[in-house]
Amino acid sequence: MKVTVLMDNHTYIDDYYLGEPAVSYWIEAEGKAFLFDVGYSAAFLKNARDMSIDVKRADAVVLSHGHNDHTGGLVPLLDVCQGMTPQLICHPHALLPRYFEKLSIGCPLEKDVVQERFSVIETKEPYWLTERLVFWGEIPREIPFEKPYSIGKLEEENGRKPDMILDDTALAYSTEDGIYIITGCSHAGICNIIAYAKKILGKEKILGILGGFHLFDIDERTKETIAYLEKEKIEFLYPCHCTSFRVRAALNQCCKVEEVGVGLVLNWE
């Protein structure tokens, strides 16, 4: 599996790509290609062009969840894909309106527009993208110290309710030696994500993780998470996006943390 970071909060010195507080990955596996999240704006498309990546080749667009820093790029993507009907794979909540106070923080396209312009697959169950790459659907939240939390409100059929971000999901790639994980924000909890990956794939060894951990302060949850990750002895650890420098620095005290920036390419087999 080859993963190219099209968008992240950070860029590298002397690599002249655009960055924004968002995420987008280009993933190639078993002869197929996928866009995993599409950033906040059209910036990921410019980066892709500068990297000689043709996003129209994607077999599917896959969403980690419905926040606008992961779905905002769907609007300019439609312009690029005029005359096409790309496949889009997501949790059923990912396309619902969501708000923080009076601010809309969900997908900028209304659900009926998305369903008209994309071939949409909504699922809470694991969905295999290739023989080895799987979209997880809804992730159980069972780790005691990773208690569920809400961010704003989710607009459901019977009104607005606290948004527990149940659509937050991830991808897992299975190899003979173990599992690689790619996350968007890990609202479900990175440790819950690890535990579910092991359950789905029936393997114990986590080889690498790339993605946001949604940890900002050195609080009890973060301390427990770091202790959990230390026990996992993960060789390739790439926390990015919504993982603060303070948290990455603390994690680096016991685990080897790698730097992430737009243009990073990982070849994981």
Side-chain angles (χ1 to χ4, degrees), residues 167-214:
D167 54 322
D168 181 81
T169 189
L171 303 182
Y173 187 69
S174 179
T175 73
E176 290 184 1
D177 297 325
I179 302 167
Y180 290 102
I181 294 171
I182 307 173
T183 74
C185 272
S186 301
H187 292 294
I190 189 61
C191 303
N192 279 318
I193 288 171
I194 289 171
Y196 196 44
K198 293 179 178 181
K199 181 178 180 180
I200 290 175
L201 299 176
K203 298 179 179 181
E204 285 297 313
K205 181 60 179 174
I206 305 299
L207 300 171
I209 301 177
L210 166 68
F213 291 0
H214 209 263

Side-chain angles (χ1 to χ4, degrees), residues 97-108:
R98 51 211 331 156
Y99 303 90
F100 184 79
E101 296 177 349
K102 294 183 179 180
L103 183 66
S104 173
I105 60 171
C107 178

Side-chain angles (χ1 to χ4, degrees), residues 183-247:
T183 74
C185 272
S186 301
H187 292 294
I190 189 61
C191 303
N192 279 318
I193 288 171
I194 289 171
Y196 196 44
K198 293 179 178 181
K199 181 178 180 180
I200 290 175
L201 299 176
K203 298 179 179 181
E204 285 297 313
K205 181 60 179 174
I206 305 299
L207 300 171
I209 301 177
L210 166 68
F213 291 0
H214 209 263
L215 297 172
F216 302 101
D217 300 312
I218 309 300
D219 54 18
E220 195 59 33
R221 178 175 177 136
T222 297
K223 292 176 183 177
E224 294 272 17
T225 299
I226 290 173
Y228 187 103
L229 292 172
E230 182 178 15
K231 290 178 182 178
E232 290 293 321
K233 300 186 184 305
I234 300 167
E235 184 176 0
F236 302 106
L237 199 56
Y238 290 84
C240 61
H241 182 43
C242 51
T243 316
S244 73
F245 170 79
R246 182 178 299 177
V247 170

Side-chain angles (χ1 to χ4, degrees), residues 16 18 29 54 64 84 97 103 122 126 134 158 164 167 193 222 224 241:
Y16 297 104
L18 300 177
D54 181 4
S64 67
M84 302 173 62
L103 183 66
E122 295 181 317
V134 60
N158 53 354
M164 304 307 292
D167 54 322
I193 288 171
T222 297
E224 294 272 17
H241 182 43

Side-chain angles (χ1 to χ4, degrees), residues 91-93 123-126 135-141 166-169 196:
H91 183 284
H93 286 184
T123 178
K124 294 183 180 181
E125 302 301 320
F135 168 83
W136 297 3
E138 190 163 309
I139 297 171
R141 304 183 182 194
L166 296 179
D167 54 322
D168 181 81
T169 189
Y196 196 44

Side-chain angles (χ1 to χ4, degrees), residues 27-206:
I27 300 173
E28 298 168 272
E30 282 82 69
K32 293 187 175 183
F34 304 94
L35 272 171
F36 186 40
D37 287 344
V38 290
Y40 183 77
S41 71
F44 84 101
L45 292 170
K46 182 180 185 305
N47 289 339
R49 288 193 299 271
D50 290 345
M51 297 176 199
S52 298
I53 292 173
D54 181 4
V55 297
K56 295 193 297 295
R57 293 196 301 109
D59 290 276
V61 179
V62 186
L63 300 180
S64 67
H65 63 298
H67 282 152
N68 55 8
D69 52 337
H70 301 259
T71 62
L74 289 177
V75 176
L77 180 63
L78 285 178
D79 292 334
V80 172
C81 296
Q82 283 285 349
M84 302 173 62
T85 308
Q87 187 175 79
L88 186 143
I89 301 166
C90 63
H91 183 284
H93 286 184
L95 301 177
L96 297 179
R98 51 211 331 156
Y99 303 90
F100 184 79
E101 296 177 349
K102 294 183 179 180
L103 183 66
S104 173
I105 60 171
C107 178
L109 291 174
E110 293 185 4
K111 186 171 183 176
D112 59 348
V113 175
V114 177
Q115 291 175 327
E116 178 184 340
R117 298 292 302 275
F118 292 87
S119 175
V120 179
I121 296 174
E122 295 181 317
T123 178
K124 294 183 180 181
E125 302 301 320
Y127 184 90
W128 289 89
L129 303 172
T130 72
E131 291 183 356
R132 297 166 63 182
L133 182 65
V134 60
F135 168 83
W136 297 3
E138 190 163 309
I139 297 171
R141 304 183 182 194
E142 299 173 346
I143 302 294
F145 59 81
E146 288 188 324
K147 293 181 172 57
Y149 56 85
S150 65
I151 296 179
K153 302 286 187 180
L154 185 71
E155 188 78 60
E156 299 188 62
E157 288 185 2
N158 53 354
R160 293 187 185 183
K161 295 182 179 180
D163 184 4
M164 304 307 292
I165 327 166
L166 296 179
D167 54 322
D168 181 81
T169 189
L171 303 182
Y173 187 69
S174 179
T175 73
E176 290 184 1
D177 297 325
I179 302 167
Y180 290 102
I181 294 171
I182 307 173
T183 74
C185 272
S186 301
H187 292 294
I190 189 61
C191 303
N192 279 318
I193 288 171
I194 289 171
Y196 196 44
K198 293 179 178 181
K199 181 178 180 180
I200 290 175
L201 299 176
K203 298 179 179 181
E204 285 297 313
K205 181 60 179 174
I206 305 299

